[in-house]
């Protein structure tokens, strides 16, 4: 099965822009989805597909992709954006079909 | 409103077995493939297993293959995970979820499985 690699931790000053990246072979075939998870809560989808935001997600969240790398950008980070962020994608390596998650990035808003 | 409610998580000894259940409501259950995803304490999300809408196809993470079995009963709007030969590293919060690779996902609140002697 495939793997997705994320930086373990990233920090950003309040109101500034931050990019969180996700690398893996599956991203050459499939778009990444991005989830935000706060302590004690289930994950919440913030970006899916080419660059789509579910209803209720602020437009400061955006996504992009190039080659084997997907990125989540938060433009004008707010204190409430401090959370863990996970990328995922479909995984169809070999005879396997499933989903793969990145290891997660802990975002600190300073 | 979509609801996914997991149950069955308990403390179990290494080598033991456990069956998790997930009751689904608020959507047409048999329109969707379903997943189990787990999260060990203080760790990241790990995809565990996938079952097709009709139960005809199942897929597993390498870490659980041969030990866990996913199943569903569409007449009861329910998803299951039979867990055998449990190990300490299976200790985690287990989530039932739909469409986690798409644009309309739903997650339960999870059920905690602790493998300890």
């Amino acid at each position: 099965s495939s793997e997705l690699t994320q930086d373990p931790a990233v920090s950003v000053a309040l109101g500034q822009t931050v990019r969180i990246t996700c690398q893996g072979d599956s991203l050459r075939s499939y778009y990444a989805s991005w989830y935000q998870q706060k302590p004690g809560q289930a994950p919440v989808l913030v970006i899916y597909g080419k660059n789509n935001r579910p209803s209720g997600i602020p437009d400061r969240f955006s996504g992009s992709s190039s080659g084997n790398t997907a990125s989540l950008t938060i433009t004008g980070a707010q204190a409430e954006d401090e959370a863990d962020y996970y990328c995922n994608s479909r995984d169809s390596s070999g005879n396997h079909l499933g989903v793969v998650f990145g290891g997660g990035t802990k975002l600190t808003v300073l | 409103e979509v609801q996914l409610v997991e149950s069955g998580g308990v403390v179990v000894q290494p080598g033991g077995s456990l069956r998790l259940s997930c009751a689904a409501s608020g959507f047409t259950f048999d329109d969707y493939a379903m997943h189990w995803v787990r999260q060990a304490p203080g760790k990241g999300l790990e995809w565990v297993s996938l079952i097709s809408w009709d139960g005809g196809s199942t897929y597993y993470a390498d870490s659980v293959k041969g030990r866990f079995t996913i199943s569903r009963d569409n007449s009861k709007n329910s998803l299951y995970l039979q867990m055998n030969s449990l190990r300490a590293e299976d200790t985690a919060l287990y989530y039932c979820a739909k469409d986690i690779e798409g644009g309309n996902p739903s997650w339960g609140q999870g059920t905690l499985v602790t493998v300890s002697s």
Side-chain angles (χ1 to χ4, degrees):
Chain A
S1 57
S2 299
E3 293 184 355
L4 295 177
T5 301
Q6 298 181 239
D7 291 330
V10 171
S11 61
V12 61
L14 184 67
Q16 295 304 300
T17 297
V18 63
R19 176 176 291 180
I20 298 170
T21 61
C22 173
Q23 288 189 302
D25 287 342
S26 63
L27 299 179
R28 296 186 185 278
S29 304
Y30 302 106
Y31 286 116
S33 294
W34 289 93
Y35 284 89
Q36 176 192 72
Q37 188 181 36
K38 297 182 179 179
Q41 298 182 17
V44 173
L45 182 68
V46 294
I47 290 290
Y48 69 98
K50 189 174 184 180
N51 180 20
N52 302 302
R53 283 177 288 106
S55 174
I57 301 300
D59 61 5
R60 63 178 179 271
F61 290 88
S62 63
S64 61
S65 182
S66 177
N68 73 336
T69 301
S71 300
L72 172 70
T73 300
I74 307 174
T75 303
Q78 301 300 303
E80 60 263 34
D81 300 334
E82 185 163 292
D84 294 325
Y85 289 85
Y86 296 91
C87 59
N88 82 355
S89 78
R90 296 178 187 270
D91 176 16
S92 61
S93 53
N95 293 322
H96 175 78
L97 180 66
V99 172
V100 58
F101 283 94
T105 298
K106 183 176 182 60
L107 177 66
T108 300
V109 180
L110 303 172
Chain B
E1 178 193 5
V2 172
Q3 282 200 320
L4 296 169
V5 180
E6 303 92 339
S7 61
V10 291
V11 178
V12 60
Q13 291 190 338
S17 296
L18 198 57
R19 189 195 198 204
L20 305 184
S21 299
C22 171
S25 61
F27 66 104
T28 305
F29 184 66
D30 56 11
D31 275 354
Y32 289 90
M34 295 294 295
H35 302 261
W36 288 100
V37 177
R38 69 184 181 183
Q39 187 167 33
K43 303 296 184 182
L45 300 170
E46 180 187 15
W47 175 79
V48 172
S49 186
L50 160 67
I51 187 166
S52 60
W53 67 273
D54 62 350
S57 299
T58 57
Y59 305 92
Y60 301 92
D62 290 343
S63 58
V64 306
K65 198 172 297 181
R67 300 188 298 122
F68 290 11
T69 301
I70 190 172
S71 62
R72 65 191 296 163
D73 185 338
N74 286 346
S75 70
K76 296 182 178 179
N77 287 353
S78 293
L79 176 71
Y80 307 102
L81 186 67
Q82 177 67 42
M83 309 164 66
N84 298 331
S85 303
L86 283 161
R87 307 166 179 168
E89 54 265 36
D90 295 319
T91 294
L93 186 65
Y94 284 74
Y95 291 103
C96 162
K98 75 168 184 66
D99 202 25
I100 59 172
E101 70 278 41
N104 189 27
S106 297
W107 297 66
Q109 286 304 305
T111 187
L112 183 62
V113 173
T114 303
V115 183
S116 174
S117 55

